[in-house]
Amino acid sequence: MSSGILDKLRQWWQSLGSSQKVLFTASCAGILVTMALLGQMLLRPAYAPLFTELEPQNAAKVIEQLESLQTPYRLTNNGKTIEVPKDQVYKLRIQMASAGALYTNGAGFELFDEKKFGITEFEQHVGYQRALQEELRRTIVQLSEVEQARVHLVLPRESVFLDEQVTPSASIALKLKPFAKLEPNQVEGIQSLVMGSVQGLSPDNIHIIDMQGNVLNDAMKSGDDGLLSASTLQSLGIKRQYEKEMESRLQQMLNRILGPGRAVAMVSADMDFDREETVRTEFGPGSVLSEQTVTEDGSGGAGNGGIPGMDSEMPGTTMPLADQGMGAGSNYNREERTTNYQVDTTQQTLVKAPGTIRRLSVSVVVDGQYTQDQLDSIQRVIASAMGYDATRGDQLTVSGIEFNEAAVPSFEDTPVTTAATPLDKQLLIPGAVAGALLILLIAFFLFRRRARRRREMMLRQKAEEEALRRAAEEAKQPKEEIVIEEPQPGYRTLIKEIAREKPSDVVEILKVWLKE
């Protein structure tokens, strides 16, 4: 059976043309190469970063440890990143830490793990300063935005003389990661960390800079000035954010009306960031809580005088009418009414939130010359969109000016070039090979289909030629004349007589004929 298969394969190979043989051979070679590359990629272990953003001296020590452990590795990112097999990452990190290859920029408080005899006070002071600097550096680089850090401390020695005392200070240099930025609260956190780690250190003596020389904690001073600066920066940020949002909304509307790049809108907002608290007290009509009425009635005495020194001669003991000469039998009365009211009191406290709009100023410039009616229409639309309030003192101007075409950005699609990642570079060659293999397979199937059609056409042409040859041979042979005998007139009469005499037999014969 194997010999039969080999014979068929040999016949099929011989039936192919020279170009088809070359194409088939190239396709097989491409398939084998692709299978080899894919097998290598699948069998190769997956790599993961062991350490990133390493300094050259640190990378050299890590590589030395990996080579001593006979662990495969590869370098990426210009030698700053070391990758190892993914299943060994955590194990190797522990081994690197135990070997002392992780933190080689300096030693922290592990400097004091070894006891040294005969050390001087000055050496001990310098060692403490070095250890504290390294510990602070290790803490600061844990921030996701910080790549490297350097900490310099000035720790004066204690003195019993007041005029010889020096205040401590600290300087920190930060190397941030690409496109990273520290927020003000993060800078304040670094400043608080250093201030809490050094005794007697004040915020004024802490200086934090980046690799461009920018002072990051300039606005964070001690006292009310620092709070005022932080509040001012926050207010300016809120103001600018509001202006940008308003400009973006107006620009989107103008782009839909006039087209992209045909108008420019600028917004300036005057905002009130003062916090105002108002307390208002209102009094109602009130209601009667209690009421008291005292009524007194009386009559005059028998005479105007009395015994000297008695109560009747004391002031206020006689009625005025009696003093005026009224006789006995005079009457008097007194009525006193006291009413207590409950007053309704309403106290209202109003707190005005900071950030209210005092005044808005909007300027819009459109490209080209427009009529006054068109400019007025645009102005009305913008006034409605911005919330124009004349009583607030808002300003709005719309002008038509020809734009400088050289300064107008092009809105055509421009190709965007992006840097290829390491993963893209790894898949580039197998992808190219797979694409070439796919093209070869498509071409092979097209040629095979064309060859099959050509073979069918040749077979059809040979069949037609064979049919023509046979027809020519038959034409050369003498033709036999076909003689059709006329039926004799007596047969029909005889058949009719038989059918009349034996109809059942005739029916059976007809059934047999129909079945046949």
Side-chain angles (χ1 to χ4, degrees), residues 122-321:
F122 176 76
E123 291 177 347
Q124 187 176 6
H125 180 76
V126 173
Y128 174 76
Q129 181 176 343
R130 288 176 54 196
L132 185 57
Q133 290 177 167
E134 177 60 21
E135 293 295 336
L136 288 174
R137 187 199 68 82
R138 293 179 183 179
T139 306
I140 293 173
V141 296
Q142 298 301 317
L143 294 175
S144 58
E145 291 83 4
V146 179
E147 180 178 339
Q148 290 293 337
R150 294 292 300 273
V151 180
H152 304 278
L153 298 177
V154 176
L155 303 179
R157 300 177 64 182
E158 296 182 358
S159 176
V160 296
F161 301 101
L162 295 177
D163 55 351
E164 294 182 1
Q165 290 183 356
V166 181
T167 58
S169 62
S171 298
I172 304 171
L174 301 177
K175 181 181 180 182
L176 303 180
K177 294 181 180 180
F179 307 105
K181 182 181 179 181
L182 287 177
E183 298 294 334
N185 56 348
Q186 293 176 312
V187 178
E188 185 178 359
I190 296 174
Q191 180 175 321
S192 300
L193 171 68
V194 179
M195 185 174 59
S197 302
V198 180
Q199 183 180 3
L201 183 60
S202 63
D204 294 336
N205 294 329
I206 300 176
H207 309 281
I208 305 175
I209 65 171
D210 57 8
M211 291 296 101
Q212 286 74 33
N214 301 319
V215 181
L216 302 180
N217 65 330
D218 190 18
M220 299 178 184
K221 299 180 182 179
S222 61
D224 297 335
D225 293 340
L227 296 176
L228 181 60
S229 301
S231 177
T232 303
L233 291 176
Q234 183 180 5
S235 300
L236 290 176
I238 295 174
K239 176 178 177 295
R240 187 54 190 154
Q241 182 179 0
Y242 176 80
E243 292 174 349
K244 284 184 177 180
E245 184 178 357
M246 180 64 71
E247 289 174 358
S248 177
R249 293 177 57 188
L250 295 178
Q251 194 66 48
Q252 290 179 2
M253 182 182 65
L254 292 172
N255 289 341
R256 296 294 300 271
I257 297 174
L258 304 176
R262 301 299 303 275
V264 177
M266 299 296 293
V267 178
S268 177
D270 183 9
M271 306 182 72
D272 183 11
F273 292 97
D274 296 335
R275 186 177 182 273
E276 183 179 349
E277 183 175 350
T278 304
V279 179
R280 185 173 59 184
T281 304
E282 296 180 356
F283 299 96
S287 59
V288 177
L289 182 63
S290 63
E291 186 175 359
Q292 182 181 3
T293 303
V294 178
T295 304
E296 183 178 355
D297 297 328
S299 59
N304 292 335
I307 301 173
M310 301 298 291
D311 292 339
S312 60
E313 296 297 326
M314 297 299 294
T317 58
T318 58
M319 295 302 295
L321 296 177

Side-chain angles (χ1 to χ4, degrees), residues 70 119 156 217:
Q70 296 182 355
I119 187 172
N217 65 330

Side-chain angles (χ1 to χ4, degrees), residues 54-67 79 82 101:
L54 291 174
E55 296 294 334
Q57 61 271 22
N58 298 337
K61 293 187 177 182
V62 174
I63 291 174
E64 183 179 356
Q65 292 291 331
L66 292 176
E67 290 178 351
I82 300 178

